[in-house]
Amino acid sequence: MLSILIPTYNYSIVKLVHEIHRQATLLNITFEILCFDDGSTEKELIENNKEIKNLAHTRYHILEKNIGRSAIRNLLAKKAKHEHLLFLDADVLPKESNFLAKYIKEIKADYPVIYGGIRYQEEKPAKDYILRWKYGSSIESKSASDRNKSKYASILFSNTIIKKSLFLKTQFSNKLSTYGHEDTLLAYSFQNLNTKVLHIDSPVFHIGLDSNKEYLKKTKEALNNLKYIEANALVNAEFVKMLRFHKKLKSFKLNLVFATIYTLFKRTMEKNLISPNSSLKIYNLYRLSYFCYINKSE
């Protein structure tokens, strides 16, 4: 019935796997949990993760070298036995004890894609992790009814069920080797196929927050990927808010103004964003100005 697929890299998945296994066992369903380690370098953590091998219907496989975010998810899907694939990121935990039960109920409605949503804990994290928490709480944490207003663009594959037959036709693109926008390309392929998508409220908490400095680095990686996506016409610009806005700025030749803002105020903006008082308004300006900056010659 259900293959639960969890890729991991230098992260403990013991708590997540135990909770998912507990819920699946109580439901008395046919399931498997596949956890593939993408060439982690922290030996002690790898040894600790091996504990999950003792759980029934659970496999923990360690890859010799890192193959990347897209490739490991594609590999997990190919190795899965069952028709329904539940993709979970390693750094999440179910918000509720009936997390899986809600999914199982909706599987019977035969939707090819079901997205349960993501949440961020209400308590503020340590000051060095505040930016990722603020952004996630404000932008990613949405109810099913809100997500359904843009049902494809709002899918995040950190907590999503996809039919295996559909996934093998689409898959995560290996054209992106660094962090960011793998979800965008897959969601766009679902839109092109006019795939039925169901948004439900069965969220996970995102607990593995990046530090402010690490998140800024990942932000740039994601925007570089978005530049590649735009340059190669992999999605319609209307599908991605940043591309829509950038296109509009270019039509008025304002993109060069924002590129200049990045050049002049990069250090000032970064100083704010790595501080405990980071501002989402400044973060959004940073993202937009950086994207204009890396595209200014086009």
Side-chain angles (χ1 to χ4, degrees):
M1 181 183 212
L2 184 65
S3 292
I4 300 158
L5 311 179
I6 306 172
T8 185
Y9 176 75
N10 285 338
Y11 201 86
S12 174
I13 52 173
V14 174
K15 189 173 181 179
L16 170 61
V17 173
H18 273 281
E19 176 58 20
I20 292 297
H21 189 275
R22 184 190 69 80
Q23 291 194 23
T25 301
L26 287 174
L27 289 170
N28 197 29
I29 59 172
T30 303
F31 74 95
E32 64 173 347
I33 302 176
L34 300 184
C35 306
F36 283 11
D37 185 300
D38 195 13
S40 288
T41 56
E42 297 182 15
K43 301 302 181 184
E44 184 177 350
L45 188 146
I46 293 171
E47 289 303 312
N48 290 339
N49 279 339
K50 287 180 181 178
E51 173 194 324
I52 64 173
K53 287 184 175 183
N54 299 321
L55 298 172
H57 317 298
T58 301
R59 180 184 174 196
Y60 178 55
H61 176 66
I62 304 169
L63 277 65
E64 291 185 2
K65 63 178 182 177
N66 184 278
I67 62 174
R69 294 167 56 85
S70 294
I72 194 157
R73 285 164 174 79
N74 293 340
L75 179 62
L76 279 161
K78 289 172 185 174
K79 297 295 184 182
K81 295 179 188 175
H82 303 304
E83 174 60 4
H84 292 94
L85 312 177
L86 172 57
F87 285 94
L88 290 173
D89 280 355
D91 59 353
V92 303
L93 279 177
K95 183 176 181 290
E96 299 167 337
S97 60
N98 61 344
F99 164 77
L100 272 186
K102 288 183 177 180
Y103 268 127
I104 299 305
K105 177 184 176 182
E106 300 299 346
I107 279 176
K108 296 171 185 175
D110 207 34
Y111 278 85
V113 179
I114 309 172
Y115 175 45
I118 194 163
R119 295 285 186 277
Y120 288 76
Q121 294 178 339
E122 293 183 8
E123 304 81 14
K124 279 189 177 183
K127 62 182 180 180
D128 291 338
Y129 298 85
I130 202 76
L131 178 61
R132 183 68 182 96
W133 177 79
K134 280 186 176 181
Y135 181 79
S137 300
S138 174
I139 304 300
E140 297 172 349
S141 183
K142 296 179 179 178
S143 67
S145 59
D146 284 341
R147 285 183 264 120
N148 203 46
K149 294 172 185 175
S150 54
K151 63 180 179 180
Y152 297 106
S154 57
I155 303 172
L156 296 174
F157 294 97
S158 51
N159 173 30
T160 307
I161 284 185
I162 309 171
K163 277 193 172 182
K164 183 175 181 178
S165 53
L166 169 66
F167 183 81
L168 293 181
K169 289 178 186 175
T170 52
Q171 303 193 39
F172 286 102
S173 174
N174 286 318
K175 292 178 181 178
L176 304 180
S177 58
T178 55
Y179 172 89
H181 290 290
E182 319 93 87
D183 291 4
T184 301
L185 292 182
L186 185 54
Y188 185 68
S189 70
F190 291 158
Q191 177 176 278
N192 285 342
L193 293 170
N194 200 27
T195 304
K196 288 172 63 180
V197 174
L198 178 64
H199 287 273
I200 67 171
D201 287 312
S202 187
V204 291
F205 280 126
H206 183 197
I207 57 174
L209 299 178
D210 297 307
S211 70
N212 299 338
K213 288 183 179 180
E214 181 63 23
Y215 191 51
L216 278 186
K217 179 181 175 227
K218 286 187 172 182
T219 294
K220 285 186 172 182
E221 288 179 1
L223 291 169
N224 289 335
N225 279 350
L226 193 58
K227 178 185 177 182
Y228 176 86
I229 287 170
E230 182 180 43
N232 291 277
L234 299 181
V235 302
N236 186 309
E238 295 303 308
F239 189 72
V240 182
K241 186 176 181 180
M242 179 66 75
L243 295 184
R244 288 199 306 270
F245 204 50
H246 182 245
K247 183 179 178 182
K248 187 174 290 187
L249 289 175
K250 284 177 72 175
S251 69
F252 292 104
K253 300 188 185 303
L254 291 174
N255 56 311
L256 296 178
V257 174
F258 280 88
T260 302
I261 288 173
Y262 179 78
T263 303
L264 295 176
F265 298 104
K266 170 190 171 183
R267 293 187 183 278
T268 303
M269 289 189 288
E270 289 180 348
K271 184 177 180 180
N272 170 270
L273 295 175
I274 64 173
S275 77
N277 300 311
S278 55
S279 162
L280 285 184
K281 288 182 179 179
I282 292 176
Y283 178 64
N284 288 331
L285 176 61
Y286 182 84
R287 291 169 65 231
L288 179 60
S289 62
Y290 177 74
F291 193 67
C292 290
Y293 174 77
I294 61 177
N295 284 284
K296 65 181 180 180
S297 62
E298 298 179 10

